[in-house]
Structure formats: structure tokens, C-alpha cells
Amino acid sequence: MKMIACTEGRSDRVEAFSLEMINAARSIAAAGDEVVAFFAGQAAKAAASSFGAADRLIAADAAGSDLIPAEAYARLLRDTIAAEQPDLVLVPYSANGLDVAADIAARTGWPLLSYVNEIKRDGESLNVVAQMYGGKVLAECVVKLPAVLMVNPGAFEEAMPGPVDAAKVQQFDAMPAIESSRVKMVAIDVPDYADVDLTTAERIVCVGRGIGDEASIDIARDLATILGAEIAGSRPVVDNGWLPKLRQVGKSGQKVKPKLYLALGVSGAPEHLEGMSHADLIIAVNTDPKAPIFNVAHYGATCDLFDLVASLSDRLQASPGR
Ligand SMILES: Cc1cc2nc3c(=O)[nH]c(=O)nc-3n(C[C@H](O)[C@H](O)[C@H](O)COP(=O)(O)OP(=O)(O)OC[C@H]3O[C@@H](n4cnc5c(N)ncnc54)[C@H](O)[C@@H]3O)c2cc1C
């Protein structure tokens, strides 16, 4: 079986979820199978020095531009699929991947399964566990190959980074596809980290919509201060203007990996998990025992966050240093 693991990166860095796509393919590869990493973007050199867990790398080098629209990425991937004839294409659930996976499935006629968390091999088919309803329901599916799977970042461990054998790197110019693309990506707005950089925080207290209103964030902020943690929020909290955008965790926010992640009133939608599921220790507080955040939490409390935060803050203040 031949598998293409789609990867991404910008400037001189590859996205961590790229290594997860390679590992997802590796996890179902049997002897004699081949895992081919596909990359399109400016970070082709970084891809060649990171994706050694794949058997080969096909890199479409957008040397002059970080602005690669999904339309161009999909076209480059389609050409690669036509040349390689893979049995399986793994695409990350990313802004780019959302467009690319649909394009590939529509044009090849292959089935597409989205929000994939688990993949097991069964002869010519795959048994796949995919999320539905923001992760509240898990669907067990059997899909015949060839197929396209859009895999949730955070669902698989990252493969060990390392260089790809130079003889196994096939590089070509992505610029013609970018220049002829009907969609032009004009700019990428990178956040200014002068205020806070959650990506380097060791402890994070994250509030979700369960916090109720802006004023109530103060009780979580006080707990964060006691814990020496940064305060963060899920997207609805940020969309409501209760916390600044730089403090949003998730797909369209920051990807964090603190030693402690305390999630208060966060449901654990896939887009949120993408930003925090690799934290060393996740503690979740939610009144709903079926909240998907408990699927990734190491410890969980099914209770009202206000009760827990109040008594935890009191206990910590009563015995500092514990
Ligand atoms: C393309 C795209 C990108 C996205 N990017 C992001 C992103 O970067 N980050 C992000 O977070 N989301 C993102 N989302 C949104 C995501 O799908 C969810 O809607 C969002 O994460 C839900 O936020 P939440 O958990 O705070 O709210 P909800 O899903 O409303 O959950 C609130 C939770 O609080 C619990 N609760 C309520 N009251 C209490 C209480 N008193 N005590 C304890 N628990 C309580 C409830 O049981 C519930 O589980 C994105 C969505 C899309 C489509």
C-alpha cells in the first residue's frame, strides 16, 4: 500500500501536525508499504530536514512566496496523486486541508472521511473512528481504499523529526501553480506576541463559554495568578470580546503545550483540542460528563466550575507552596 501524508509549513518552519500525518500513515504501514510525505510551500528545506520518518518526500518548493492558496496546493497534490497512484491520502484538518481534501475527493471520486481520530487497517479496507457533532459522537466507519482521510491534529503523536535521505527527496517548482491560481493569497497576518506568548507558557487556565460572562473571568484570572499561570480562552470567549485574540487556544488561535492546562467550562470541540491536546497535564472541569474535553483530560471534575474554582483558590491561598 502507498500512502501520501500531506504536510504544511510556513517561512522556515513545518507545522507540527505534519509530523502527526506522517505518523498516522506510519501507524498502519505494513512491511513493503510506502509512506510518501507531500509538502508544498516555502519551507521545503525544513520539510527535507524534518520528515525523515517518511520513506520519501515530494516537495513543491514555493521558494519565493509563503502565500500558497489551497487551490494551488490542491493542484500540486493532484499532479502528485496522478503520478504516484496512492491507495490512501491523509490530509490534516487545517484551513488549507479543509479545501484540499474536498477538492481531491471530488476530483478523484474517492470517499472522504473527515474529523478522523483513529485508523486501523483491515485487509483492503480501513476501520476509522471519526468525530461528529463537535466530538460528542464518535462514528465507527469502514472505508474501502483508495480514500482520502482528513485527520484531526492532535489525534496522533508526532513522528520523530529527522532528515530525509537526500536521494529520497524529489523537489519541483510550485510557483507556476501559485502564479496561475485564480485565488491570490495577499497577506498573512501574524499576531504580535508583545503582550503574551501562550506557546511558551508553562501553566494555562483556559475559560470556555461555561464561564458565562466577561465579569466572571476574574475568578479564573485570580486562580491563574495564584497558580502562576496565563489566562486563555476558547474561541467563543474571544469572539465575545472577553479576552484578546492572542489568548485564544485552538485551530484559529494558539497551539500550546504547557505543563498544566486547566480547562474551565470548555466543551472540547476538535478545533479547541487541536491547540492543546499535547499539554503534559490536562485537568478539565465541566458539568456535562459527556463533554469531549474529558476524552483528552488526565483528570476531570464533573461539577460547576464556580464551586471548584472558589474552593481551589481558597485551599491554595490557605497553604501557599502546595
Ligand atoms: C474553522 C474553525 C476554527 C475554530 N477555531 C477555534 C479555536 O481556535 N479555538 C476554539 O476554542 N474553538 C474554535 N472553533 C470553535 C469550536 O468549534 C467550538 O465552537 C468552541 O471551541 C466551543 O467553545 P467552548 O467549549 O468554550 O463552548 P461550548 O461548546 O458552548 O462549551 C461550553 C461548555 O461549558 C460547560 N459548562 C457550562 N456551564 C458550566 C459551569 N458552570 N461549570 C462547568 N462547566 C460548564 C458546558 O457543559 C459546555 O461543555 C473553531 C471552529 C471552526 C469551524
Side-chain angles (χ1 to χ4, degrees), residues 61-311:
D61 187 3
S65 175
D66 229 359
L67 305 173
I68 177 159
E71 184 193 350
Y73 185 109
R75 191 167 133 195
L76 293 159
L77 177 58
R78 281 203 310 270
D79 292 347
T80 301
I81 289 171
E84 294 287 332
Q85 298 289 310
D87 303 286
L88 180 66
V89 177
L90 299 179
V91 179
Y93 172 39
S94 63
N96 181 67
L98 273 166
D99 290 358
V100 168
D103 179 301
I104 298 300
R107 290 178 197 266
T108 56
W110 295 352
L112 165 62
L113 285 176
S114 301
Y115 304 105
V116 168
N117 268 0
E118 290 174 31
I119 313 169
K120 296 260 168 355
R121 196 152 165 188
D122 186 11
E124 296 302 300
S125 305
L126 296 177
N127 295 334
V128 171
V129 176
Q131 290 185 343
M132 297 168 72
Y133 304 109
K136 287 202 170 184
V137 174
L138 295 177
E140 290 179 23
C141 314
V142 179
V143 61
K144 279 198 171 156
L145 300 173
V148 184
L149 302 185
M150 189 162 68
V151 179
N152 284 328
F156 288 82
E157 294 291 320
E158 292 172 25
M160 282 292 283
V164 186
D165 183 342
K168 304 278 186 186
V169 180
Q170 184 185 334
Q171 201 157 312
F172 64 100
D173 188 3
M175 293 316 286
I178 294 174
E179 279 155 10
S180 63
S181 178
R182 285 163 299 175
V183 177
K184 303 281 175 226
M185 201 183 273
V186 182
I188 294 174
D189 192 5
V190 180
D192 172 8
Y193 290 105
D195 176 27
V196 61
D197 184 359
L198 288 183
T199 62
T200 57
E202 292 211 335
R203 296 172 187 186
I204 292 176
V205 173
C206 181
V207 292
R209 190 154 30 200
I211 198 73
D213 55 37
E214 184 172 9
S216 302
I217 294 180
D218 281 345
I219 63 143
R221 204 178 267 116
D222 291 346
L223 177 60
T225 305
I226 297 167
L227 289 170
E230 290 289 351
I231 187 85
S234 65
R235 181 161 160 178
V237 167
V238 170
D239 285 351
N240 283 337
W242 300 345
L243 285 174
K245 175 79 182 158
L246 269 179
R247 292 187 182 267
Q248 180 181 321
V249 172
K251 174 184 254 338
S252 44
Q254 308 299 322
K255 313 275 184 292
V256 301
K257 201 176 177 302
K259 290 192 174 141
L260 168 68
Y261 192 87
L262 177 56
L264 304 172
V266 175
S267 60
E271 295 85 3
H272 187 83
L273 300 186
E274 176 175 341
M276 46 63 72
S277 60
H278 291 309
D280 290 351
L281 178 64
I282 300 170
I283 303 175
V285 183
N286 198 305
T287 43
D288 177 3
K290 290 196 168 156
I293 190 76
F294 291 127
N295 297 335
V296 297
H298 301 96
Y299 296 97
T302 312
C303 65
D304 191 310
L305 73 90
F306 294 98
D307 296 341
L308 185 132
V309 170
S311 48

